[in-house]
Amino acid sequence: MIEFRDVHKFYDKLHVIRGIDLSITKGEVVVICGPSGSGKSTLIRLVNQLEILSRGDILVDGQSVASLRSRSLRQLRTQIGFVFQQFNLYPHLTAEQNITLALRKVLSITPKDATLRAVELLERVGLADKRQAYPAQLSGGQQQRVAIARTLAMRPKILLFDEPTSALDPEMIGEVLTVMRDLATSGITMLVVTHEMGFARELADLVVFIDQGVILENAKPSDFFLSPQHPRTRQFLRQLLSPLHTAND
């Protein structure tokens, strides 16, 4: 479903992504983790060209993104849902309107059908009673769940999550992870940048560790957490999971 082929990203002379090769099959849940500034978010933003490739290529469902022109790129983006750290909801629109806007403007769905889909998705993320609430009337966790519902409304083939819980208070993280768990078992392809190692351990098919723009570890969760091979991975897990000391040295 997604294939990275010798992917590089430069910002002037700063080499952020350094020759990444990675294949993600349909229906897989892949968690990308690593220290701050390692290139995790940049990598997934390259998938739908929110960041432009410097070198190499990414294939999405067999289609090269490097050669896409604007019209084809817009089509591709309708198939790839992106959930940001900051929820990016329109503050002047209700939860329902935030979901129906793209359905009406991009997919040309009738207002009635768009509303039906919005109601169905708000129910799925546990916010059926917040249809008419504005973002300012919602908690951070609720806003992120609306953002996920908005992303699902386009019926994407792929979901990209860029640290979806990092802007949330600890007590709100669980409600977002509950929705993500439901999605992870639904068969949709997911690429998730996160430090939520419980989610990675429980639901990921593959855990990828990136540092300084390079993949240092790429393994099933059982191997990643119990017997990480790279010293930098072991150091990262010790720091992240301390005092649990889940990873062996």
Side-chain angles (χ1 to χ4, degrees), residues 26-236:
K26 184 177 181 180
E28 271 194 322
V29 177
V30 177
V31 166
I32 298 178
C33 60
S36 297
S38 60
K40 310 181 298 294
S41 295
T42 300
L43 184 65
I44 67 166
R45 291 171 70 90
L46 288 168
V47 175
N48 63 352
Q49 292 292 270
L50 291 176
E51 298 285 353
I52 305 302
L53 279 164
S54 299
R55 194 164 76 231
D57 201 0
I58 300 173
L59 303 183
V60 176
D61 204 11
Q63 184 176 30
S64 165
V65 304
S67 58
L68 290 178
R69 299 189 182 275
S70 57
R71 185 173 181 179
S72 297
L73 184 56
R74 285 196 299 271
Q75 273 188 324
L76 176 73
R77 285 173 175 164
T78 64
Q79 301 172 34
I80 303 173
F82 201 110
V83 179
F84 299 86
Q85 296 179 40
Q86 303 295 337
F87 326 119
N88 292 349
L89 299 178
Y90 294 106
H92 62 292
L93 298 180
T94 64
E96 180 183 296
Q97 291 167 337
N98 264 281
I99 297 169
T100 60
L101 181 65
L103 294 175
R104 293 186 292 105
K105 299 294 185 181
V106 178
L107 300 186
S108 300
I109 290 177
T110 66
K112 180 181 178 180
D113 288 340
T115 298
L116 287 173
R117 190 180 298 184
V119 169
E120 175 188 340
L121 288 167
L122 285 170
E123 184 174 354
R124 181 174 180 179
V125 300
L127 293 173
D129 60 334
K130 300 295 184 181
R131 288 174 54 188
Q132 303 307 319
Y134 289 90
Q137 298 170 314
L138 300 173
S139 70
Q142 289 170 335
Q143 289 186 62
Q144 190 62 289
R145 284 187 281 160
V146 172
I148 292 172
R150 179 180 60 182
T151 300
L152 293 174
M154 304 298 285
R155 293 179 176 161
K157 296 179 180 179
I158 297 166
L159 286 175
L160 307 176
F161 291 85
D162 185 10
E163 301 198 43
T165 61
S166 65
L168 300 177
D169 293 333
E171 63 268 23
M172 297 177 185
I173 291 173
E175 60 193 51
V176 173
L177 289 177
T178 296
V179 173
M180 291 176 64
R181 286 187 181 95
D182 173 62
L183 294 172
T185 57
S186 71
I188 194 167
T189 307
M190 292 172 59
L191 190 52
V192 184
V193 173
T194 185
H195 290 303
E196 298 295 336
M197 293 297 97
F199 176 87
R201 192 196 305 268
E202 178 187 353
L203 292 166
D205 297 297
L206 191 69
V207 183
V208 177
F209 177 72
I210 295 180
D211 192 20
Q212 298 183 2
V214 177
I215 293 178
L216 299 183
E217 194 107 19
N218 179 352
K220 294 179 179 179
S222 56
D223 296 328
F224 183 83
F225 288 104
L226 294 177
S227 56
Q229 299 301 300
H230 198 281
R232 184 67 183 92
T233 312
R234 294 197 291 269
Q235 180 189 30
F236 174 79

